Amino acid sequence: MLVTGIKSRPVYTTLTPDPGGRFHLLAGQGSGGEALLRLLAALPGAAAVHVLYATESLPGKDWSAQLRAGRTTDLRVYPTQAEAVSALDRTLAGCVMGTRLYLAGSECFLGSALQVAMRYSLNDDEVQREHCGSAARRVYCIHCRASNENVKTNVVRCGGCERHLLVRDHYSRRLAAYMGVMVDAEAPGELPPIKELFT
């Protein structure tokens, strides 16, 4: 579990079966496939289970072959994270009361999937998230509103407005991103040392 003094930062757990669930929806990406396999092994044999998995990862292992060989017959594999999140949206639109959602993957994937879950008013106790793989961040530029994906450094050039952004630790659940603010606003061109912090 990630423990931090910054209250907006997401807190992740290890996926565990929720015995109160009537329908178990698992969605994962890249390295999150290992967590899905572990959860599938722990779920009761008679449980109604549906699995969505994106092979895209930064970097990470593709667990689709192991998931296909596992106990679930209701598995959908997608080449990209965006396609898996769209499938999650369609699946949640038809879900019933008692659905439990389990998410595993990179922070960018978890944020996007949680945005979808929030649209369907799933409560915090109905959604579990396990961070796996890359710690790269989605950074939202507060100046031009562009989202910059898979950021690994403390400073990033915005793909929208080309400003150099300081990657802050403040996380917005609504935007599923960390905030980026212009780092050289007071002294144009003066940048702090750029370091890879989120691998």
Side-chain angles (χ1 to χ4, degrees):
M1 178 188 299
L2 177 65
V3 179
T4 178
I6 300 181
K7 292 183 180 179
S8 69
R9 293 274 305 269
V11 176
Y12 304 114
T13 60
T14 300
L15 300 182
T16 57
D18 182 342
R22 291 176 48 210
F23 177 72
H24 303 273
L25 177 56
L26 287 63
Q29 168 258 347
S31 297
E34 184 176 18
L36 298 186
L37 283 167
R38 189 182 64 245
L39 179 63
L40 284 166
L43 282 166
V49 178
H50 183 79
V51 181
L52 307 170
Y53 179 71
T55 58
E56 178 182 44
S57 115
L58 178 85
K61 186 173 179 184
D62 176 1
W63 292 86
S64 57
Q66 293 90 330
L67 286 165
R68 283 187 180 98
R71 63 163 258 207
T72 183
T73 55
D74 198 358
L75 168 68
R76 302 285 185 271
V77 177
Y78 301 91
T80 68
Q81 170 181 310
E83 289 174 275
V85 171
S86 292
L88 175 63
D89 195 353
R90 292 188 303 273
T91 305
L92 284 174
C95 279
V96 296
M97 185 72 80
T99 294
R100 298 298 183 262
L101 177 60
Y102 307 87
L103 305 171
S106 69
E107 204 160 49
C108 291
F109 172 77
L110 296 174
S112 296
L114 187 60
Q115 280 182 310
V116 170
M118 289 169 63
R119 284 200 296 268
Y120 293 96
S121 302
L122 289 173
N123 297 323
D124 286 341
D125 62 342
E126 295 171 317
V127 181
Q128 293 182 37
R129 296 173 294 162
E130 183 171 335
H131 178 250
C132 306
S134 174
R137 295 179 168 187
R138 173 181 293 136
V139 178
Y140 178 82
C141 176
I142 67 163
H143 308 285
C144 75
R145 300 182 181 175
S147 287
N148 298 274
E149 300 292 332
N150 300 317
V151 174
K152 294 182 175 183
T153 54
N154 60 324
V155 175
V156 64
R157 183 181 283 267
C158 178
C161 64
E162 299 197 0
R163 289 178 172 95
H164 284 93
L165 305 175
L166 175 67
V167 180
R168 298 192 56 219
D169 274 338
H170 175 71
Y171 183 83
S172 167
R173 284 182 63 178
R174 182 180 64 82
L175 299 169
Y178 290 88
M179 299 297 98
V181 297
M182 187 173 176
V183 72
D184 58 344
E186 293 180 9
E190 289 186 23
L191 302 178
I194 298 175
K195 301 174 186 172
E196 189 169 294
L197 300 177
F198 319 113
T199 56

